[in-house]
């Protein structure tokens, strides 16, 4: 009955509790790697505080600002931004759970960015060289390379494909792969549909799912195969296949908004009609563009 009553701290929601509850809510929308980022963000913040845990309601903006300053000595600005993004998502859960009326202490901080180097990190594979890498892979480990080659998908996307993600569009009859795009904790995960290239259909015929524990585990396998094939350049990686696909669409004069829709680039064209209002090109049209990609 006391309107000024404050529950003892031992009954208040802690940062670790909020983390578990938040992850429970979004577990079907994020990757294993993203889960690790959330947990690591909490570990970093608590390590800075020198505490095993902390009640969420006592976290103040000045504490977070000091955390950012200390983090700059160890981490890149992009890493700090990702950490704050995860912590902000966790705090938002606590706000609703405890009916907090204060501003989220992890948002709207100014983090100076280093001047970016004006150079492209990854370079495209020469098809003959990529084939040498494929030859070093076990049969079941070759498929992710082909999926990436014919869709432009990222490593976690290609290795995250499950049999149920290979579907048929009811309206057009086009077979496609449903890729769930990266979830960053700030918005809902979205799905993009990429038509299956005629050559990729052959590779997917008896597909029953990937066996390795994660895309990170597969990435190490690909890295070893790359080095065994004689390629040690860090600019040549699995992600380089994405460069191949983007370059191929550029040479084919595929409209930017269509190539972006297939590959999953954020920039879907400079025109507002394409980048904001459009729901995307039809599956038949996209299939025609995908089938123009060179075979591997």
């Amino acid at each position: 009955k006391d309107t000024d009553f404050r529950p003892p701290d031992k009954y208040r929601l802690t940062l670790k509790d909020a983390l578990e509850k938040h992850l429970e809510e979004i577990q079907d929308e994020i990757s294993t790697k993203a889960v690790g980022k959330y947990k690591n963000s909490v570990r970093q913040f608590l390590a800075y505080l020198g505490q095993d845990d902390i009640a969420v309601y006592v976290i103040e903006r000045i504490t977070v600002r000091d955390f950012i300053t200390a983090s700059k000595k160890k981490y890149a600005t992009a890493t700090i931004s990702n950490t704050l993004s995860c912590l902000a998502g966790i705090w938002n859960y606590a706000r609703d759970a405890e009916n907090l009326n204060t501003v989220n202490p992890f948002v709207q901080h100014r983090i100076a960015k280093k001047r970016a180097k004006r150079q492209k990190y990854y370079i495209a594979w020469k098809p003959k060289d990529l084939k040498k890498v494929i030859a070093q892979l076990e049969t079941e480990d070759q498929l992710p390379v082909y999926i990436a080659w014919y869709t432009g998908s990222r490593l976690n996307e290609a290795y995250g494909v499950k049999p149920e993600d290979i579907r048929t569009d009811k309206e057009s009859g086009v077979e496609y792969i449903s890729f769930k795009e990266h979830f960053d904790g700030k918005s809902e995960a979205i799905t993009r549909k990429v038509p299956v290239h005629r050559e990729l259909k052959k590779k997917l015929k008896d597909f029953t799912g990937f066996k390795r524990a994660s895309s990170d585990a597969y990435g190490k396998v690909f890295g070893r195969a790359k080095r065994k094939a004689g390629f040690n350049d860090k600019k040549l990686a699995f992600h380089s296949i994405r460069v191949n696909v983007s370059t191929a669409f550029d040479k084919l004069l595929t409209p930017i908004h269509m190539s972006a829709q297939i590959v999953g680039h954020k920039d879907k064209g400079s025109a507002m009609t394409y980048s904001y209002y459009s729901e995307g090109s039809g599956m038949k049209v996209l299939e025609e563009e995908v089938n123009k990609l060179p075979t591997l």
Side-chain angles (χ1 to χ4, degrees), residues 148-203:
W149 183 267
Y150 293 115
T151 65
S153 53
R154 303 167 180 86
L155 173 59
N156 64 317
E157 293 174 333
Y159 206 76
V161 173
K162 300 178 178 62
E164 58 266 30
D165 295 326
I166 304 169
R167 308 170 184 176
T168 300
D169 182 59
K170 294 180 180 179
E171 184 177 340
S172 64
V174 172
E175 189 175 7
Y176 67 89
I177 297 177
S178 176
F179 289 108
K180 182 171 287 187
E181 302 244 63
H182 180 65
F183 178 76
D184 60 8
K186 295 180 290 186
S187 60
E188 292 185 0
I190 59 174
T191 299
R192 79 176 189 277
K193 302 174 182 179
V194 182
V196 180
H197 190 285
R198 61 172 71 90
E199 290 298 321
L200 184 57
K201 287 182 181 180
K202 302 174 185 177
K203 306 290 184 182

Side-chain angles (χ1 to χ4, degrees), residues 49-197:
L49 297 177
Q51 299 184 39
D52 181 61
D53 206 352
I54 185 174
V56 179
Y57 84 95
V58 304
I59 301 174
E60 299 179 340
R61 288 187 62 81
I62 187 61
T63 303
V64 178
R65 291 185 68 163
D66 291 341
F67 167 64
I68 293 171
T69 300
S71 296
K72 287 180 179 179
K73 299 176 183 178
K74 299 180 180 180
Y75 306 105
T77 53
T79 301
I80 298 172
S81 294
N82 287 333
T83 297
L84 293 178
S85 177
C86 291
L87 291 170
I90 297 168
W91 194 94
N92 282 339
Y93 171 85
R95 175 194 60 199
D96 295 340
E98 292 220 319
N99 198 27
L100 302 177
N101 57 10
T102 55
V103 176
N104 190 323
F106 295 103
V107 301
Q108 296 181 344
H109 289 280
R110 180 180 178 276
I111 304 177
K113 295 182 179 180
K114 294 181 180 179
R115 184 174 296 177
K117 295 180 180 179
R118 299 183 62 85
Q119 64 179 34
K120 183 172 62 177
Y121 186 76
Y122 294 104
I123 58 176
W125 283 97
K126 292 180 180 178
K128 64 181 180 66
D129 291 340
L130 186 56
K131 288 179 180 178
K132 292 179 182 178
V133 177
I134 292 175
Q136 298 298 329
L137 292 166
E138 297 292 335
T139 302
E140 66 178 30
D141 288 324
Q142 295 176 358
L143 182 57
V145 178
Y146 290 113
I147 291 176
W149 183 267
Y150 293 115
T151 65
S153 53
R154 303 167 180 86
L155 173 59
N156 64 317
E157 293 174 333
Y159 206 76
V161 173
K162 300 178 178 62
E164 58 266 30
D165 295 326
I166 304 169
R167 308 170 184 176
T168 300
D169 182 59
K170 294 180 180 179
E171 184 177 340
S172 64
V174 172
E175 189 175 7
Y176 67 89
I177 297 177
S178 176
F179 289 108
K180 182 171 287 187
E181 302 244 63
H182 180 65
F183 178 76
D184 60 8
K186 295 180 290 186
S187 60
E188 292 185 0
I190 59 174
T191 299
R192 79 176 189 277
K193 302 174 182 179
V194 182
V196 180
H197 190 285

